[in-house]
Amino acid sequence: MSSPPARPRAFHFERILIGERWERDVRLEVDDGGHIAAVEPGGRPEGCERVVGWTVPGVPNVHSHSFQRALAGLAEGGGPGSFWSWRDVMYAFVDRLTPDDLEAITAQLHVEMLKSGFTCVGEFHYLHHAPGGVPYEDPAEMSRRILEAARISGIGLVHMPVVYETAGFGGEPLEGGPRRFGMDLEGVARLCESLGGRAPGQGIRTGLALHSLRAVPRETFGRLAEFLPALASKGAGAAPVHIHVAEQRREVRECLERLGARPVEWLLDHAPVDRRWCLVHATHVDDHEAEAVARAGAVVGLCPTTEANLGDGLFPLGAFAVRGGRFGIGTDSHVSRSPVEELRLLDYGQRLTLRRRSVLGDVTSGDAMAGDATARESALAGAGGRLLAHAWRDGCRALAWDGGSVAIGLRADLLVLDAEHPALAGRTANRVLDSWLFSGTDNPVRHVMVGGDWVVRDGRHAREEEVRLAFARTVRRLPERL
Amino acid sequence: MSSPPARPRAFHFERILIGERWERDVRLEVDDGGHIAAVEPGGRPEGCERVVGWTVPGVPNVHSHSFQRALAGLAEGGGPGSFWSWRDVMYAFVDRLTPDDLEAITAQLHVEMLKSGFTCVGEFHYLHHAPGGVPYEDPAEMSRRILEAARISGIGLVHMPVVYETAGFGGEPLEGGPRRFGMDLEGVARLCESLGGRAPGQGIRTGLALHSLRAVPRETFGRLAEFLPALASKGAGAAPVHIHVAEQRREVRECLERLGARPVEWLLDHAPVDRRWCLVHATHVDDHEAEAVARAGAVVGLCPTTEANLGDGLFPLGAFAVRGGRFGIGTDSHVSRSPVEELRLLDYGQRLTLRRRSVLGDVTSGDAMAGDATARESALAGAGGRLLAHAWRDGCRALAWDGGSVAIGLRADLLVLDAEHPALAGRTANRVLDSWLFSGTDNPVRHVMVGGDWVVRDGRHAREEEVRLAFARTVRRLPERL
């Protein structure tokens, strides 16, 4: 990673997933920019690095607050608990973090994500200032630490600084821990400009995030139609726009009281929501809202382990998917760092409440992905394949990330699954993805490539020991009186 | 394992959980039978093997059908699916298994369980005969293969041959795959006698299983009060009695139609259910049934990942636990082989539907486990600790297994968690168990001891490579046209 080999590079994959088919002995060339320049099934092996195993696209992680990685396991104590009591613990915790801490925690998180199969991550970044809300000399200080962690780890990053202005629907000012979060649209523009001016690497992009309807005033939403093109000119390109919405029932109640509409309903009426948008959580939507989100082409960013851990509730996935709704997955608070656990829990939550199996099985069978006579032969026909197809395709759309499948012009972000791993041994091609997703927790991801560079080989990241030690030093210093 | 060291053995543990407290520098002696003979916090290190890390009791796995391990990931294809369509796939699959296959699959499963933290397993064994229902020359042929796998792996085993007589509530005869399962009470008695006669090792016990109300006739239940003491005299001792019950709503409907009562209600009225019994699943119980099960002292055997995978539904854990109900966990169909994933999913399923955190937090706070002023200081006070406390204590009761805590006279079945693992690094004592259960899928179990013998060291089982290769040979031979 630190000293990339000469380019263009050529690889010869034993088995690689192209569209919905497994192809054999595929020659794949990667250009200087980390994009796929040639794909030839049955191509010549000469001059290629041979890659053995089941190779699939890397999974995009659409939602992360990287600092929360250090909190995983610390907020499970005492009392009945709720999202809101968890949030109090998080606020107390956040008040102690330094820029060095943030970099160390984020690098560890990125290494863990890569080893599990995430190759890019959308960072929903609101930890902008020093304790008490004092700006750092460089307003991009904390953002730059996230970028540095991505450089160390080699993960693809979509960095989305967050607009965070108020503590509630009533426009209450920020107090305590959240004073570190305060930022308006102009602040985000300055921050993106500052980052853009220092030319982030090709695997790093920026976007915009709005914390939530309770933290962003109505006026700000009114300015977005004008602001977004201006932001694009500051280096963010066709930047994605992310927002937390309808995660908690209390939020729905307060929104109805204050704004006279349900959160997703209000958002769709007052913001230019389109296919660039990602609605994170959207747990509490009614049928009308689910239909409208699907029609707008926005992606729902589901964070199954965090939503379960916080007792948020279950998104109506079946009803949404049957309307053509799009969804990606995120690890959010990082109680999990694995695409397998996110997708498995997503499916299991639906199966448990609907009391049937293969929740997406009958809702996507009519669509283009698996609609014809060859559907049964598709590598994506099983429950695992269907879940992954959404995570790849819709997750990349949510991040405006040019990946998610193996095709010329897309990034060479790839995972190689070990065919000899006990979860996959002896599996025929049409059961490999199901077996990856529905057989145990022991991880069969063997190699990971980001933008044509190997970042994980034989299950190890080149810098994992150094990163782990820095992380351990940081968490030992953090107070645990929570 | 194959050549145990001289006994008694002495260990010096850096940190070990005794009751609900972490103790330091504990000298622990193990006698010839694998039981703890001495426990001395602050004891002398002389003559001891020093063990560094967070040491906790091994977790009992109360419910396993070992052959189903080879099916994990193969039954996720096509259509909406249900428990019943899954069962058809399983029947087709089971028709091909040989005794060698069963041994290879089971050994792989045991190794995976040990590495994840299970130190004993209750095998609910119904694959008795050759295809077509033809008895093997030795009626214990298949049972003996399970015992051999346990010997190879070193796991503790409670082997429970299953009574399986009919295909439905109407007494329909067994057809197809299930013809291999047919066995009555006398058959189980002969099987246990045969096994007992060959003196299974000290880490292997037997018990009785009854498949379900649909597979066991009413008359058989009527004979249990007389039969159980007779079975005990054949080497099974205070044998546990396990039964699948109320897993599916269709089963509840059929039971109401045929037997005029709900399944758990009928069972409690017609069988001598007491603290030796384990009711597996018991998903669909009403308040009255939950109360009655708790009063009988029976343990409910919850199998969260299987129940989710099959779309069974959610057991009313909160209402049961508040009545003093006892529950252990099992991996059943082995879509997971990890106590962490089972307990986490158990809790998450409850949090998602009850829409709050720490489901056991407020129901056990009044009980002996965490009821006094020191509750907040208890190592078991958090959500992870409370879940594990049930899995250890109630799981051992369900298997009549003398383990589940560190005390003189109990078995030395122990796990050592790596304190330097990123999931646990820097954690204070009262957050170690929460961090084990609620932080990622990368496994921090470093060493595993069963009956005083190390079976996993530094994350590796001594025979794992040989076992993996035998498993891979088996699964490659199995048909996958499912």
Side-chain angles (χ1 to χ4, degrees):
Chain A
M1 283 149 289
S2 45
S3 55
R7 305 183 180 203
R9 292 146 293 170
F11 303 90
H12 203 249
F13 288 94
E14 182 192 30
R15 294 275 218 158
I16 190 167
L17 185 67
I18 299 182
E20 51 186 284
R21 290 175 58 84
W22 289 106
E23 301 285 355
R24 275 183 180 280
D25 297 324
V26 175
R27 182 185 173 95
L28 188 140
E29 293 177 13
V30 180
D31 68 20
D32 278 1
H35 290 80
I36 298 170
V39 182
E40 297 172 43
R44 288 175 304 108
E46 287 79 11
C48 291
E49 177 183 346
R50 176 73 170 169
V51 183
V52 173
W54 300 99
T55 299
V56 299
V59 181
N61 184 338
V62 304
H63 193 63
S64 163
H65 309 288
S66 69
F67 74 88
Q68 294 181 13
R69 164 63 185 87
L71 253 179
L74 291 190
E76 306 294 340
S82 70
F83 169 87
W84 310 101
S85 60
W86 173 86
R87 197 182 62 167
D88 290 341
V89 173
M90 186 269 280
Y91 285 172
F93 172 81
V94 85
D95 219 27
R96 310 297 185 101
L97 289 174
T98 68
D100 284 349
D101 292 338
L102 181 63
E103 182 178 318
I105 294 166
T106 304
Q108 173 66 27
L109 172 66
H110 288 175
V111 167
E112 292 173 339
M113 285 179 178
L114 285 166
K115 291 171 73 173
S116 296
F118 287 119
T119 47
C120 63
V121 56
E123 178 66 20
F124 195 106
H125 172 70
Y126 54 72
L127 187 51
H128 299 302
H129 308 303
V134 183
Y136 289 104
E137 190 171 342
D138 174 358
E141 172 71 32
M142 291 299 240
S143 287
R144 228 174 283 288
R145 298 309 188 105
I146 304 273
L147 269 58
E148 177 60 15
R151 197 191 60 75
I152 292 168
S153 68
I155 204 166
L157 175 70
V158 178
H159 187 68
M160 295 176 282
V162 174
V163 174
Y164 200 126
E165 300 179 69
T166 61
F169 283 99
E172 298 84 348
L174 303 176
E175 297 292 346
R179 296 182 68 182
R180 301 188 71 172
F181 309 157
M183 186 160 288
D184 59 14
L185 280 176
E186 282 65 31
V188 167
R190 280 193 300 272
L191 205 164
C192 285
E193 195 165 24
S194 164
L195 289 178
R198 299 203 192 176
Q202 64 198 24
I204 297 178
R205 320 269 172 87
T206 52
L208 174 69
L210 305 155
H211 183 272
S212 58
L213 299 188
R214 63 180 188 274
V216 177
R218 304 177 63 157
E219 306 77 66
T220 303
F221 285 97
R223 295 177 50 213
L224 287 175
E226 178 188 0
F227 179 81
L228 290 173
L231 182 70
S233 72
K234 294 193 194 309
V241 184
H242 285 221
I243 184 168
H244 291 138
V245 67
E247 180 176 6
Q248 285 287 323
R249 289 189 298 177
R250 178 173 127 187
E251 175 194 341
V252 176
R253 278 199 310 276
E254 291 180 357
C255 190
L256 277 164
E257 284 165 20
R258 294 287 190 156
L259 302 179
R262 297 171 57 82
V264 170
E265 181 187 10
W266 190 91
L267 182 69
L268 292 169
D269 282 348
H270 293 83
V273 175
D274 61 16
R275 52 182 291 145
R276 285 174 309 173
W277 283 62
C278 178
L279 277 49
V280 179
H281 307 306
T283 310
H284 302 287
V285 290
D286 62 22
D287 281 357
H288 171 77
E289 292 172 304
E291 167 82 34
V293 171
R295 209 169 42 233
V299 176
V300 170
L302 299 172
C303 306
T305 62
T306 296
E307 290 155 8
N309 188 283
L310 297 180
D312 290 345
L314 281 162
F315 177 77
L317 184 65
F320 181 64
V322 81
R323 291 172 165 86
R326 293 170 179 271
F327 62 91
I329 50 157
T331 57
D332 192 355
S333 70
H334 311 302
V335 286
S336 171
R337 284 80 75 177
S338 155
V340 169
E341 189 176 8
E342 297 301 338
L343 290 170
R344 191 189 295 174
L345 181 61
L346 175 63
D347 212 32
Y348 281 178
Q350 302 291 324
R351 294 188 197 196
L352 280 168
T353 49
L354 299 174
R355 297 205 182 101
R356 64 177 197 217
R357 305 185 74 223
S358 306
V359 173
L360 293 175
D362 49 353
V363 295
T364 56
S365 61
D367 77 10
M369 195 170 75
D372 59 22
T374 65
R376 277 175 160 277
E377 303 305 314
S378 164
L380 304 180
R386 286 163 195 267
L387 288 162
L388 282 161
H390 280 279
W392 282 321
R393 179 192 64 183
D394 303 344
C396 282
R397 179 195 280 214
L399 295 174
W401 194 254
D402 43 349
S405 74
V406 176
I408 290 173
L410 296 185
R411 287 174 54 87
D413 294 350
L414 301 170
L415 315 176
V416 184
L417 306 177
D418 179 1
E420 302 305 313
H421 188 281
L424 304 182
R427 292 302 184 235
T428 52
N430 66 341
R431 289 291 166 260
V432 168
L433 298 179
D434 289 346
S435 297
W436 181 30
L437 253 60
F438 293 103
S439 182
T441 49
D442 193 27
N443 176 15
V445 174
R446 186 167 180 191
H447 313 302
V448 180
M449 175 186 284
V450 178
D453 292 323
W454 292 117
V455 294
V456 172
R457 295 305 298 261
D458 289 320
R460 291 189 65 79
H461 187 282
R463 298 181 69 172
E464 71 176 70
E465 195 55 17
E466 156 202 351
V467 165
R468 184 181 72 77
L469 291 173
F471 172 74
R473 279 194 301 274
T474 284
V475 291
R476 282 208 184 83
R477 274 202 314 265
L478 294 172
E480 295 205 335
R481 290 171 288 100
L482 294 172
Chain B
M1 287 148 285
S2 47
S3 56
R7 305 184 181 203
R9 292 146 292 169
F11 304 89
H12 203 250
F13 288 94
E14 182 191 30
R15 294 274 218 158
I16 190 167
L17 185 67
I18 300 182
E20 50 186 284
R21 290 176 57 86
W22 289 105
E23 301 284 356
R24 274 186 181 278
D25 297 324
V26 175
R27 182 184 173 95
L28 188 140
E29 293 178 13
V30 180
D31 69 20
D32 277 2
H35 291 79
I36 297 171
V39 182
E40 295 173 46
R44 287 176 305 109
E46 287 79 12
C48 290
E49 178 183 345
R50 175 75 170 168
V51 183
V52 172
W54 299 99
T55 300
V56 298
V59 182
N61 185 337
V62 304
H63 193 63
S64 163
H65 310 288
S66 70
F67 73 89
Q68 293 181 14
R69 164 64 184 85
L71 253 178
L74 291 189
E76 306 293 339
S82 70
F83 169 88
W84 311 101
S85 61
W86 173 86
R87 197 182 62 165
D88 291 341
V89 173
M90 187 268 280
Y91 285 171
F93 171 81
V94 85
D95 219 27
R96 310 296 185 102
L97 288 175
T98 68
D100 285 348
D101 292 338
L102 182 63
E103 183 179 317
I105 294 166
T106 304
Q108 173 66 28
L109 171 67
H110 287 175
V111 167
E112 292 173 338
M113 284 178 179
L114 286 165
K115 291 171 72 173
S116 297
F118 287 120
T119 47
C120 64
V121 55
E123 178 67 19
F124 195 106
H125 172 70
Y126 53 73
L127 187 52
H128 299 302
H129 309 303
V134 182
Y136 289 105
E137 192 171 339
D138 173 358
E141 172 71 31
M142 291 299 242
S143 287
R144 228 175 284 286
R145 299 310 189 103
I146 304 274
L147 269 58
E148 178 60 14
R151 197 191 61 75
I152 291 168
S153 67
I155 204 167
L157 176 69
V158 178
H159 187 68
M160 295 174 282
V162 174
V163 174
Y164 200 126
E165 300 179 69
T166 61
F169 282 99
E172 298 84 348
L174 303 175
E175 297 291 348
R179 296 182 67 183
R180 302 189 71 172
F181 310 158
M183 186 159 288
D184 59 14
L185 280 176
E186 283 66 31
V188 167
R190 280 193 301 273
L191 204 162
C192 285
E193 196 166 24
S194 164
L195 290 178
R198 299 204 193 175
Q202 63 199 23
I204 299 179
R205 321 269 172 85
T206 52
L208 174 69
L210 305 155
H211 183 271
S212 58
L213 299 187
R214 63 180 189 273
V216 178
R218 302 177 64 157
E219 307 77 67
T220 302
F221 286 98
R223 295 177 51 212
L224 287 176
E226 179 189 359
F227 179 81
L228 290 173
L231 182 70
S233 73
K234 293 191 197 309
V241 184
H242 285 221
I243 184 169
H244 291 137
V245 67
E247 179 176 6
Q248 284 286 324
R249 289 189 298 178
R250 178 173 127 186
E251 176 193 340
V252 176
R253 280 199 308 276
E254 291 181 356
C255 189
L256 276 164
E257 285 165 19
R258 294 288 189 157
L259 302 179
R262 298 171 56 83
V264 170
E265 180 187 11
W266 190 92
L267 182 69
L268 292 169
D269 282 347
H270 292 83
V273 175
D274 61 15
R275 53 182 288 146
R276 284 174 309 175
W277 283 61
C278 178
L279 277 49
V280 179
H281 307 305
T283 310
H284 302 287
V285 290
D286 61 22
D287 281 357
H288 171 77
E289 291 172 304
E291 166 82 35
V293 171
R295 210 169 41 232
V299 176
V300 170
L302 299 172
C303 305
T305 61
T306 296
E307 290 155 8
N309 188 283
L310 298 180
D312 289 345
L314 281 162
F315 176 76
L317 184 65
F320 182 63
V322 81
R323 291 172 166 85
R326 294 170 178 272
F327 62 90
I329 49 157
T331 57
D332 192 355
S333 71
H334 311 302
V335 286
S336 170
R337 286 80 74 177
S338 156
V340 169
E341 188 176 8
E342 297 301 339
L343 290 171
R344 191 188 296 174
L345 182 60
L346 175 61
D347 212 33
Y348 281 178
Q350 302 290 326
R351 295 188 197 195
L352 280 168
T353 49
L354 298 175
R355 297 204 183 102
R356 65 177 196 217
R357 305 186 73 222
S358 306
V359 173
L360 293 175
D362 49 352
V363 296
T364 56
S365 61
D367 78 9
M369 195 169 76
D372 58 22
T374 65
R376 278 176 159 277
E377 303 306 314
S378 164
L380 305 179
R386 286 163 194 268
L387 289 161
L388 282 161
H390 279 280
W392 282 321
R393 177 193 65 183
D394 304 345
C396 281
R397 178 195 281 213
L399 295 174
W401 194 255
D402 43 349
S405 74
V406 176
I408 291 173
L410 296 185
R411 288 173 54 88
D413 294 350
L414 300 170
L415 316 175
V416 185
L417 306 177
D418 180 0
E420 302 304 313
H421 188 281
L424 304 182
R427 291 303 184 234
T428 51
N430 66 341
R431 290 292 165 260
V432 167
L433 298 178
D434 289 346
S435 297
W436 182 29
L437 253 62
F438 293 103
S439 182
T441 50
D442 193 27
N443 176 15
V445 174
R446 185 165 181 193
H447 313 303
V448 180
M449 176 186 285
V450 179
D453 293 324
W454 293 117
V455 295
V456 172
R457 295 303 300 262
D458 289 320
R460 290 188 66 79
H461 187 282
R463 298 181 69 174
E464 71 176 69
E465 196 55 17
E466 156 203 351
V467 165
R468 184 182 72 78
L469 291 172
F471 172 75
R473 280 193 300 274
T474 284
V475 291
R476 284 209 181 82
R477 275 200 315 266
L478 294 172
E480 295 205 335
R481 289 171 287 100
L482 293 171

